[in-house]
Amino acid sequence: MGENILKAKALPNQKERTALKPNNMTSNGDSNFTNRDAFRQAVVNTLERRLFYVPSFKIYGGVAGLYDYGPPGCAVKANVLAFWRQHFVLEENMLEVDCPCVTPEIVLKASGHVDKFTDLMVKGGKTGTCYRADHLLKDFCKDKLEKKDVNITADKAAELKHVLAVLDDLTAEELGEKIKEYAIVAPESKNPLSDPYPFNLMFQTSIGLPGLSPGFMRPETAQGIFVNFKDLYYYNGNKLPFAAAQIGQAFRNEISPRQGLLRVREFTLAEIEHFVDPDDKSHPKFPEVSNLEFLMFPREKQVSGQPAERTCLGEAVSKGIVNNETLGYFIGRVYLFLTYLGIDKDRLCFRQHLANEMAHYAADCWDAEIECSYGWIECVGIADRSAYDLRAHTDKSGVPLVAHEKFAEPTEVEKLVITPVKKEVGLAFKGDQRMVCEALEVMSEKEAMEMKADLESKGEWSSIKTGDEQLNVFRFPPLVAPIKCTVFPLVQNQEYEEVAKSIAHMLTAAGISYKIDITGTSIGKRYARTDELGVPFAVTVDSTSSVTIRERDSKVQIRVNVEEVASAVKEVTEGQCTWNDMLLKYNAPPVPDDE
Amino acid sequence: MGENILKAKALPNQKERTALKPNNMTSNGDSNFTNRDAFRQAVVNTLERRLFYVPSFKIYGGVAGLYDYGPPGCAVKANVLAFWRQHFVLEENMLEVDCPCVTPEIVLKASGHVDKFTDLMVKGGKTGTCYRADHLLKDFCKDKLEKKDVNITADKAAELKHVLAVLDDLTAEELGEKIKEYAIVAPESKNPLSDPYPFNLMFQTSIGLPGLSPGFMRPETAQGIFVNFKDLYYYNGNKLPFAAAQIGQAFRNEISPRQGLLRVREFTLAEIEHFVDPDDKSHPKFPEVSNLEFLMFPREKQVSGQPAERTCLGEAVSKGIVNNETLGYFIGRVYLFLTYLGIDKDRLCFRQHLANEMAHYAADCWDAEIECSYGWIECVGIADRSAYDLRAHTDKSGVPLVAHEKFAEPTEVEKLVITPVKKEVGLAFKGDQRMVCEALEVMSEKEAMEMKADLESKGEWSSIKTGDEQLNVFRFPPLVAPIKCTVFPLVQNQEYEEVAKSIAHMLTAAGISYKIDITGTSIGKRYARTDELGVPFAVTVDSTSSVTIRERDSKVQIRVNVEEVASAVKEVTEGQCTWNDMLLKYNAPPVPDDE
């Protein structure tokens, strides 16, 4: 089992690679601007003046790296997040979670953040200001190169360029040596600098009484998904693959925030963890994206100095440039997401990580980079991280976060099937026939055997488990209900399954959350399962032209044409009409008020 | 000027007032449950088993007061927040903001949180465990009363009941005295207890390098609105009243989190600050809610021991029970919000704060309380806080957060009006006539005078301000655009204004954000204003039956019947059709691909 990770984040270490850009900003209609800085300044001015965003706590002088979104910025953010939910979560039936930002130390110790989520700092003099070691070295090299210092030989220039290229890969020792070699000092005080030392980028806090339970503000949202793996796997019926998603705040205590909204101290992350069988990373929906063509920049081209190139995604996977179909599928979906949001195709490139950029456990990693006035900036990271995180939390917590292998061969299992004889139940229970049948169908094997024994020995049976968890129904109004409807074929049959799938497709397009179940479980059992989630409508496919929609509380059904199902559920969910309106429209008797 | 505040929060100090409930849980169809605890246990079991929520970091033993929402819980939360946005933000054209959780100390010093957002603690022995002083005293009193200790006299029982009633109002000294008087000791160690001392409930952290800039995780979202007052007032055209809203995480380091999701350490708050002229707290939309009738529990009834009573909101305001129309309007809107979400009308009561519950600066305060298995719980607080917060931030920051009074009498102002002679511009500029006219109309007085001078002296004029901020257009796709359309009457005229307002009403109902402008500013100027916000569609009312919709980038217009405007904008915004589809549908020539 492994995971593929999709992240949209403000990257601490993006690289500047202006030489690699397929076009540049001034050639593209922005002819009023002679350079990127002027263009950026004009955009930033407008954005701040119209309150898209402003520096936070401005009346107190502001805090570097913290920004407020004003009304238009807030609306843009809400639109993008809503579309992200529609495009990823709803379209792929992902399991969304929402975990706290406050995180106990042990979780981030296991994930490696406590020990490794650091920047290297240097201090100017014993009590002096602190700086990021790589920033000082970078500024020094750029300064020398840009000033075209006449004292610099061609060899020296080549060396400085090399330092800039490998900057992100330097160890503390290497950085310290270069700073000594170039005699770099503190910018203001001109004091000599200390050796580089690690500074953790997480905001530290304390949970409960001081000193008892150290904690951090999460630096990413993914760990909340990993620690819930067991529950989510169970929620998914103990089956792989499945994906979990989370949208939420992340916090990074950057020492020198820069580049406007690109490197900030608090931001909203939208992350997906897709859990897949490590021995089968094929993806059933890959054909839907395999014909897409866009700029890709594989490792080999980067190393050999070739440019990025328009590539067909299907070919990139079949040639092994992209490691597997699942990774490829998400690259394609991210491409569609970004271009639908309005990102210029010519300024969007998928760049593969070089071997030294990837963690040792990762199988492959691609970044969606967008060219903006700061150069090419990573906006989405898509990585196959294997099961690294799950293993780390398994080791630390002692709770095995594993998925079980399926049987290679089908096995025979003897199973008690409860089949109410509807006619006899009808004679005995009259109008309650349906409810009694449903109650019988939802019984567990054990309960049924106990009932049988009671009936045989005592001639009667009564459930002592009133208030039983199986009988709970959440009566969410349709607006609030987490899942708006279920789609079940009445019997297992390919024609009905096709109809169910086409209805599911129409529901997705209409933005309606649903649960489809083609397992052939009894209808009664399925109702009981979904009543517990408060699902207000159940669509049962019992023909290829029309289907029934049953309302949860009244249990009344209407018959609706297949093409009208999605719009009918949408209308009654969003409040354009009530269930009674639907009854009138579809000629069923309205439900009395007191039901 | 004052503010009225609407908060939905987990209240640190809700009161138990089971005696006041108008009905109780077991009488209302939950006949399987003999008491509230059993009912709650059944609900909680189902909620946790179906992953509505689970304790956070469960594999590490969990952290008290932190919960994860699983897929169904996450969906319910998203639905409620989306409806909150629709019901409050969109319906009232509120200004939504999104500010960081990390907050520098000075902001929370000004708001009073650093000094006063505390619970009183006691320590058992010199190195012992800490407890909340009020919890120990409460547990002691309840224990004595519930055990019906035979040694307790009627007088003593009355005294203990009185202590419970005034518990929240006791000072540190009074709490300490009671603890001594009753000889209360530490529950486990039986050690004597320390004097009560304040413990701040905010999560503390440090921004940037350690020790330089102390900060806290915000305990509420409102302060982010207050510190932005100046910008928001400007954004609203320097006019009162207006409301700002924020949805986001808040953090409270509770010492003993309890009651499931009710008292937690991190939660999502949705807050509104409505800024109103203190001399005119009438509300134009109050008549829309004045006929609502629901349970209200005014101060006088509480004090005189009478029960809560169904009350007509309009009467409550006219009799002065509710302080003013604006406060009354929001009470009505909150009632509609909660009942639409499915809250039982009989378990919802608006309770007025007693004089000793309110801050000294507050004019009036009402809580929406919902009866649940924990008793009556405050879920929404609606307060007229006067201008307390703005004054506090004005004092601390030195930046005046004030609104200017309007002139009582209209004043005469001489004003240069730029009126392009369209015919002559047409002759000179042919096809560019419209763009030239628009450019002329958006000029400032100063620019126009400079142009006039240039033309007179040099016979020609060219704008040296290319890249000028007034010419910026954001080309957001309709999906992303913060505001989807504008609604302008072509000329100032009551009939057109009525049409514009009815279109605005239909847009709100369809969930489409818009900006209406009936000020009579020139069309060109209005386009320029809204282009800067990237508004993709402009609706111009030039008749009472049909109107034009102009697309931002192509500047092409179509003519649409008034009743169809909202659905047309909705379809093209949500992606059901493209602008070119609209052109075909409304018989305008499609826009070529390269535009």
Side-chain angles (χ1 to χ4, degrees):
Chain A
M1 188 199 43
E3 316 114 36
N4 294 298
I5 294 180
L6 183 66
K7 292 185 187 179
K9 64 183 177 188
L11 184 75
N13 292 312
Q14 70 269 356
K15 310 219 162 146
E16 290 192 25
R17 294 182 303 101
T18 45
L20 302 171
K21 65 193 157 80
N23 59 11
N24 71 47
M25 195 138 282
T26 54
S27 73
N28 228 25
D30 306 312
S31 50
N32 289 335
F33 301 100
T34 48
N35 61 52
R36 289 177 170 203
D37 288 341
F39 173 73
R40 177 164 65 234
Q41 207 46 56
V43 173
V44 166
N45 285 348
T46 307
L47 288 172
E48 292 205 17
R49 190 163 38 78
R50 301 309 295 256
L51 298 198
F52 278 84
Y53 70 88
V54 292
S56 298
F57 317 113
K58 219 165 56 174
I59 62 170
Y60 290 103
V63 175
L66 294 179
Y67 292 91
D68 294 345
Y69 291 105
C74 220
V76 168
K77 183 177 165 183
N79 292 338
V80 171
L81 291 179
F83 180 59
W84 193 88
R85 271 212 178 89
Q86 163 78 21
H87 185 80
F88 291 111
V89 180
L90 202 61
E91 179 73 35
E92 315 289 347
N93 264 307
M94 292 177 179
L95 309 183
E96 192 175 346
V97 300
D98 182 355
C99 310
C101 303
V102 174
T103 307
E105 185 179 42
I106 192 168
V107 173
L108 296 160
K109 190 88 187 166
S111 68
H113 286 90
V114 171
D115 296 323
K116 290 178 191 159
F117 195 65
T118 54
D119 272 344
L120 292 167
M121 307 292 300
V122 285
K123 201 176 247 182
K126 274 190 181 158
T127 55
T129 319
C130 295
Y131 307 90
R132 267 185 61 173
D134 59 339
H135 283 182
L136 290 188
L137 183 55
K138 182 181 181 177
D139 291 347
F140 174 86
C141 296
K142 286 182 100 174
D143 204 48
K144 286 277 175 205
L145 287 168
E146 275 166 21
K147 278 191 184 157
K148 299 206 174 59
D149 195 330
V150 283
N151 300 323
I152 285 186
T153 61
D155 274 5
K156 190 72 184 175
E159 184 195 310
L160 294 173
K161 279 181 191 163
H162 176 74
V163 170
L164 285 175
V166 299
L167 198 65
D168 291 342
D169 302 321
L170 297 181
T171 63
E173 290 68 34
E174 290 165 341
L175 264 175
E177 277 165 26
K178 281 288 164 204
I179 285 171
K180 282 215 181 74
E181 183 186 335
Y182 296 154
I184 301 173
V185 292
E188 291 89 25
S189 68
K190 308 297 174 198
N191 279 332
L193 296 167
S194 72
D195 284 336
Y197 62 94
F199 172 79
N200 196 293
L201 293 178
M202 293 192 291
F203 284 99
Q204 190 160 9
T205 191
S206 173
I207 305 171
L209 291 166
L212 290 185
S213 175
F216 297 93
M217 303 312 296
R218 63 179 176 194
E220 61 174 29
T221 61
Q223 301 306 323
I225 295 175
F226 294 132
V227 298
N228 277 313
F229 174 80
K230 224 179 115 183
D231 279 348
L232 293 169
Y233 178 62
Y234 159 79
Y235 188 86
N236 199 51
N238 294 329
K239 282 197 293 278
L240 287 184
F242 72 90
Q246 181 164 202
I247 298 173
Q249 293 302 90
F251 303 82
R252 295 179 185 180
N253 192 11
E254 301 283 350
I255 292 313
S256 45
R258 19 167 105 181
Q259 301 183 317
L261 296 185
L262 284 185
R263 187 175 306 172
V264 293
R265 284 171 164 159
E266 181 179 338
F267 52 98
T268 302
L269 263 180
E271 292 192 87
I272 292 163
E273 306 297 330
H274 182 85
F275 299 94
V276 65
D277 180 346
D279 296 328
D280 178 12
K281 294 184 181 176
S282 65
H283 197 292
K285 288 166 82 179
F286 184 67
E288 290 178 22
V289 297
S290 63
N291 289 329
L292 291 174
E293 276 191 28
F294 44 79
L295 278 175
M296 294 186 87
F297 200 15
R299 196 175 296 147
E300 280 182 19
K301 283 195 194 293
Q302 295 171 57
V303 172
S304 63
Q306 293 172 268
E309 199 174 47
R310 264 182 82 87
T311 312
C312 166
L313 182 56
E315 275 177 37
V317 170
S318 66
K319 286 182 183 164
I321 297 169
V322 170
N323 184 281
N324 60 71
E325 270 191 8
T326 295
L327 194 58
Y329 178 70
F330 281 101
I331 290 174
R333 292 292 296 169
V334 167
Y335 172 81
L336 293 173
F337 176 75
L338 293 173
T339 51
Y340 200 86
L341 287 183
I343 301 297
D344 185 343
K345 292 177 176 59
D346 295 325
R347 291 202 177 118
L348 173 60
C349 178
F350 285 81
R351 188 181 72 81
Q352 190 172 31
H353 276 203
L354 297 175
N356 64 355
E357 286 179 86
M358 284 201 299
H360 64 275
Y361 49 79
D364 195 3
C365 184
W366 291 78
D367 289 344
E369 298 192 337
I370 297 171
E371 192 194 24
C372 67
S373 65
Y374 291 108
W376 286 89
I377 300 293
E378 180 207 351
C379 291
V380 185
I382 311 162
D384 181 337
R385 289 165 61 84
S386 75
Y388 173 78
D389 304 88
L390 294 184
R391 267 190 227 111
H393 286 298
T394 298
D395 290 350
K396 195 86 180 174
S397 69
V399 177
L401 303 179
V402 293
H404 298 287
E405 262 190 77
K406 286 161 274 179
F407 290 105
E409 294 292 318
T411 54
E412 279 187 25
V413 177
E414 213 163 295
K415 191 169 178 292
L416 180 79
V417 177
I418 300 149
T419 315
V421 184
K422 291 203 174 147
K423 202 176 145 193
E424 293 195 14
V425 174
L427 286 172
F429 292 95
K430 307 261 170 359
D432 293 333
Q433 182 215 33
R434 186 163 60 194
M435 258 136 87
V436 172
C437 285
E438 286 178 16
L440 289 170
E441 284 173 342
V442 301
M443 290 181 106
S444 70
E445 198 163 319
K446 184 163 164 280
E447 288 168 332
M449 293 307 288
E450 284 168 1
M451 179 180 175
K452 187 163 173 260
D454 273 8
L455 284 172
E456 284 171 359
S457 63
K458 296 187 266 178
E460 63 170 41
W461 175 82
S462 68
S463 168
I464 48 161
K465 297 210 282 177
T466 49
D468 183 290
E469 47 186 29
Q470 291 184 332
L471 298 175
N472 293 328
V473 181
F474 283 113
R475 297 201 166 178
F476 293 118
L479 177 86
V480 178
I483 295 169
K484 307 306 182 191
C485 73
T486 52
V487 183
F488 300 148
L490 182 65
V491 291
Q492 262 183 310
N493 131 356
Q494 205 183 340
E495 266 192 322
Y496 288 3
E497 278 184 23
E498 289 306 315
V499 173
K501 283 179 186 168
S502 82
I503 290 173
H505 192 74
M506 289 186 274
L507 287 165
T508 299
I512 298 293
S513 57
Y514 62 90
K515 222 179 162 81
I516 183 169
D517 186 342
I518 51 173
T519 57
T521 313
S522 77
I523 290 285
K525 200 160 210 157
R526 291 186 297 199
Y527 283 158
R529 275 185 196 166
T530 57
D531 278 352
E532 267 200 355
L533 289 172
V535 179
F537 304 108
V539 175
T540 303
V541 179
D542 55 1
S543 92
T544 54
S545 56
S546 72
V547 301
T548 64
I549 305 182
R550 185 181 97 138
E551 197 270 335
R552 177 194 60 211
D553 301 334
S554 64
K555 297 194 168 66
V556 171
Q557 302 189 349
I558 55 174
R559 181 160 290 281
V560 176
N561 287 335
V562 168
E563 307 75 48
E564 292 173 48
V565 171
S567 60
V569 174
K570 190 180 171 77
E571 276 177 29
V572 72
T573 296
E574 294 183 352
Q576 283 105 321
C577 70
T578 66
W579 177 247
N580 270 342
D581 296 336
M582 301 289 283
L583 294 182
L584 289 170
K585 187 170 170 190
Y586 292 98
N587 293 323
V591 181
D593 254 0
D594 56 12
E595 263 200 280
Chain B
M1 188 199 44
E3 315 114 35
N4 294 298
I5 293 181
L6 182 68
K7 292 185 187 180
K9 64 183 177 187
L11 185 75
N13 292 313
Q14 71 270 354
K15 311 219 161 147
E16 290 194 24
R17 293 182 303 101
T18 44
L20 303 170
K21 66 193 156 80
N23 59 13
N24 69 48
M25 194 139 283
T26 53
S27 72
N28 230 23
D30 305 313
S31 49
N32 289 334
F33 300 100
T34 47
N35 61 53
R36 290 176 168 204
D37 288 342
F39 174 73
R40 177 163 65 235
Q41 207 45 58
V43 173
V44 166
N45 284 349
T46 307
L47 288 172
E48 292 205 19
R49 190 164 38 78
R50 300 310 293 256
L51 299 199
F52 277 83
Y53 71 88
V54 291
S56 298
F57 316 114
K58 219 165 56 173
I59 61 170
Y60 292 103
V63 174
L66 293 179
Y67 292 91
D68 295 344
Y69 291 106
C74 220
V76 168
K77 183 177 165 183
N79 292 337
V80 171
L81 292 178
F83 180 59
W84 193 87
R85 271 212 178 89
Q86 162 79 21
H87 185 81
F88 291 110
V89 181
L90 202 61
E91 179 73 35
E92 315 289 347
N93 264 308
M94 292 177 179
L95 310 183
E96 192 176 345
V97 299
D98 182 355
C99 309
C101 303
V102 173
T103 307
E105 185 179 42
I106 192 168
V107 173
L108 295 160
K109 191 88 188 167
S111 68
H113 286 91
V114 171
D115 296 323
K116 290 177 191 160
F117 195 66
T118 54
D119 272 345
L120 291 166
M121 307 292 299
V122 286
K123 200 175 246 183
K126 274 189 183 159
T127 55
T129 319
C130 295
Y131 307 90
R132 270 184 60 171
D134 59 338
H135 283 182
L136 291 187
L137 182 55
K138 182 182 182 176
D139 291 347
F140 174 87
C141 295
K142 286 183 99 173
D143 203 49
K144 286 276 176 206
L145 286 168
E146 277 166 19
K147 279 189 181 158
K148 299 208 173 58
D149 196 329
V150 282
N151 300 324
I152 286 186
T153 62
D155 275 4
K156 189 74 183 173
E159 183 195 311
L160 293 173
K161 278 180 192 164
H162 176 72
V163 170
L164 285 175
V166 299
L167 198 65
D168 291 341
D169 302 321
L170 297 181
T171 63
E173 291 67 34
E174 289 166 340
L175 264 176
E177 277 164 27
K178 281 287 163 203
I179 286 171
K180 282 215 181 74
E181 182 187 334
Y182 296 155
I184 300 173
V185 292
E188 291 90 23
S189 68
K190 310 295 173 199
N191 280 332
L193 296 168
S194 72
D195 284 337
Y197 62 94
F199 172 78
N200 197 292
L201 293 179
M202 292 192 292
F203 284 98
Q204 190 160 8
T205 192
S206 174
I207 305 171
L209 292 165
L212 291 185
S213 175
F216 297 93
M217 304 310 298
R218 63 178 176 194
E220 61 174 28
T221 61
Q223 301 306 321
I225 294 176
F226 295 131
V227 298
N228 277 313
F229 174 79
K230 225 179 114 183
D231 279 348
L232 293 169
Y233 179 61
Y234 159 79
Y235 188 86
N236 199 51
N238 294 330
K239 282 196 292 280
L240 287 183
F242 71 92
Q246 180 164 202
I247 297 173
Q249 292 303 90
F251 303 83
R252 294 179 185 180
N253 192 13
E254 301 283 351
I255 292 313
S256 43
R258 20 167 105 182
Q259 301 184 317
L261 296 185
L262 284 184
R263 186 175 307 174
V264 292
R265 284 174 163 157
E266 180 178 338
F267 52 99
T268 302
L269 263 178
E271 291 191 88
I272 292 163
E273 305 296 331
H274 181 83
F275 299 95
V276 66
D277 181 346
D279 297 327
D280 179 12
K281 295 185 180 176
S282 65
H283 197 291
K285 289 166 81 179
F286 184 67
E288 291 178 22
V289 297
S290 63
N291 288 330
L292 291 174
E293 277 191 27
F294 44 79
L295 278 175
M296 295 186 87
F297 200 15
R299 197 176 295 148
E300 281 181 19
K301 283 195 194 292
Q302 295 171 57
V303 171
S304 62
Q306 293 172 270
E309 200 175 45
R310 265 181 81 88
T311 313
C312 166
L313 182 56
E315 276 177 37
V317 170
S318 64
K319 287 182 182 163
I321 297 169
V322 170
N323 185 282
N324 59 72
E325 270 190 8
T326 295
L327 193 59
Y329 179 70
F330 281 101
I331 290 174
R333 292 293 295 169
V334 167
Y335 172 80
L336 292 173
F337 176 75
L338 293 173
T339 50
Y340 200 85
L341 287 184
I343 300 297
D344 185 343
K345 292 176 175 59
D346 296 326
R347 290 200 177 118
L348 172 60
C349 178
F350 286 80
R351 188 181 73 82
Q352 191 173 30
H353 275 203
L354 298 175
N356 64 355
E357 286 179 84
M358 283 200 301
H360 65 275
Y361 49 79
D364 195 3
C365 184
W366 291 78
D367 289 344
E369 297 191 337
I370 297 172
E371 191 193 25
C372 66
S373 64
Y374 290 107
W376 286 89
I377 300 293
E378 180 208 351
C379 291
V380 185
I382 311 162
D384 182 336
R385 288 166 62 84
S386 75
Y388 173 78
D389 303 270
L390 295 184
R391 269 190 225 109
H393 286 297
T394 299
D395 291 349
K396 194 86 181 173
S397 69
V399 177
L401 303 179
V402 293
H404 299 285
E405 261 189 77
K406 285 161 276 178
F407 290 105
E409 294 292 318
T411 54
E412 280 187 26
V413 177
E414 213 163 294
K415 191 169 178 295
L416 180 78
V417 176
I418 300 149
T419 316
V421 184
K422 291 203 175 147
K423 201 176 146 195
E424 293 195 15
V425 174
L427 285 172
F429 292 95
K430 308 262 171 0
D432 293 333
Q433 183 216 31
R434 186 163 60 194
M435 257 136 88
V436 172
C437 285
E438 286 178 15
L440 289 169
E441 284 173 340
V442 301
M443 291 182 105
S444 70
E445 200 164 316
K446 183 163 163 282
E447 288 168 332
M449 294 306 290
E450 283 170 2
M451 180 181 174
K452 188 163 172 263
D454 273 9
L455 285 172
E456 283 170 0
S457 63
K458 295 187 264 176
E460 63 169 41
W461 175 83
S462 68
S463 168
I464 50 161
K465 298 211 279 177
T466 48
D468 183 289
E469 45 186 34
Q470 291 184 332
L471 298 175
N472 293 329
V473 181
F474 283 113
R475 298 200 166 180
F476 294 118
L479 176 87
V480 178
I483 295 168
K484 308 305 183 192
C485 74
T486 52
V487 184
F488 300 148
L490 182 65
V491 290
Q492 263 183 310
N493 131 356
Q494 204 182 342
E495 265 192 321
Y496 289 4
E497 277 186 32
E498 290 305 317
V499 173
K501 282 179 188 168
S502 81
I503 290 173
H505 192 74
M506 289 185 275
L507 287 166
T508 300
I512 299 291
S513 57
Y514 63 89
K515 223 180 162 78
I516 184 168
D517 186 341
I518 51 174
T519 57
T521 313
S522 77
I523 290 285
K525 200 159 210 159
R526 291 186 299 199
Y527 283 159
R529 275 186 196 165
T530 56
D531 278 353
E532 267 202 352
L533 289 173
V535 180
F537 304 107
V539 175
T540 304
V541 179
D542 55 2
S543 92
T544 54
S545 58
S546 72
V547 301
T548 64
I549 304 182
R550 185 182 97 138
E551 197 269 336
R552 177 195 60 211
D553 301 333
S554 64
K555 298 193 167 67
V556 172
Q557 302 188 348
I558 55 173
R559 181 160 289 280
V560 175
N561 288 335
V562 167
E563 306 76 47
E564 292 173 48
V565 172
S567 61
V569 175
K570 190 181 171 79
E571 276 176 30
V572 72
T573 296
E574 294 184 350
Q576 283 105 322
C577 71
T578 66
W579 177 247
N580 268 343
D581 295 338
M582 301 289 283
L583 295 182
L584 288 170
K585 185 171 171 188
Y586 293 97
N587 293 323
V591 181
D593 253 1
D594 57 13
E595 266 201 279

